[in-house]
Amino acid sequence: MELYQLRCFVAAAEELHFGKAAQRLQMLPSALGRQIKLLEDDLATRLFTRTTRAVALTEHGSALLRDARGILAKVEAVETAFRRRARGGRTQKLRVGAIDSAAAGLLPQLLHDFRDAHPEIAVQIAEEKTIRLLPKVLSGALDLAFVRPPERSDSRLEFRALLSESAVVALPQRHRLAGRASVSLTDIADQPLIVPDRRSRPHSHDLTMKLFAQAGLTPEVAQVADEKQTIVHLVAARLGIAIVPRWTSRLAVSGVRFVPLRVRRGSGAGRLPLAAAWLRGSRDPAREAMLGVLDARLAKYARGA
């Protein structure tokens, strides 16, 4: 098993299209297929199922993908460390963007683990909405962004699904429901609701509207606000309640209690997806190092989402 074969495998596994993977690696599809075949022969197992219409990972292929990303990230981190020494010890930088709930929940854990694994890489953080982060990734101003996956993704960007955040209800601390262990949509159907502006936060806005629609209820929208911090402060001022991602509860705002929202078991309606985004086809050892740490610890991060 060679590193080159692993790089070919990861590209094919992420694209699930041998032509696109070969183009990404700037090689012929036949050469890519040959490397994958050599890797399968070395491991004595099939990594892909292939038909004339589709390519899919086998169970062994999915397991190898997790390990291969970690191996390549470690190799690139070693290469980066030696290049840094050759340049006289200059610190490498990674520019990362994140939406507010990821900045409050995912990033503190990820940065702690990343700094332990890669102290030679300095991380710069920019907190913005998805609609402002993605153009910065496209322009090269950011190397990596943690965002809500858009309904229509730009083909120039690559997205990796990470986890889904659960929803909670932000209530004024003295609200009659604030002492509950959980609340249902029926409990809050008659309450004045503060919702995000759909133009700037489509996922969060639609989460609230779809939850009520699926329950056959009509929300009592009392106020529209743009920033998550503003919404929580309006709740503290007793102007209404709000449905927000669980990680929002880490915002230090007095006078607010966050109560879990009880939804139908098995329903994905009360969840908000989080994804990593970067420029397709770009090579960045620092970014791959962070994605390697993220892959290795994603299950732990997801438990708190």
Side-chain angles (χ1 to χ4, degrees), residues 137-163:
V137 175
L138 284 169
S139 71
L142 289 175
D143 305 306
L144 179 66
F146 296 105
V147 299
R148 303 287 181 217
E151 293 178 356
R152 294 182 180 179
S153 58
D154 192 309
S155 61
R156 295 171 294 174
L157 293 172
E158 186 142 356
F159 291 89
R160 182 182 299 175
L162 299 177
L163 47 81

Side-chain angles (χ1 to χ4, degrees), residues 96-112 125-130 133 144-149 160 162-166 201 204 228 244-251 272-277 290 294 298 301 304-305:
V96 176
I99 59 172
D100 49 10
S101 63
L106 173 66
L107 277 188
Q109 304 172 78
L110 175 58
L111 290 179
H112 178 273
I125 303 295
E127 184 180 331
E128 277 284 7
K129 303 178 185 68
T130 295
L133 289 172
L144 179 66
F146 296 105
V147 299
R148 303 287 181 217
R160 182 182 299 175
L162 299 177
L163 47 81
S164 292
E165 300 176 60
S166 53
R201 296 183 182 275
S204 295
K228 203 73 61 56
V244 295
R246 180 179 173 185
W247 274 335
T248 305
S249 62
R250 300 192 180 198
L251 297 174
L272 282 166
L274 185 69
M290 177 166 279
L294 185 59
L298 187 57
Y301 303 151

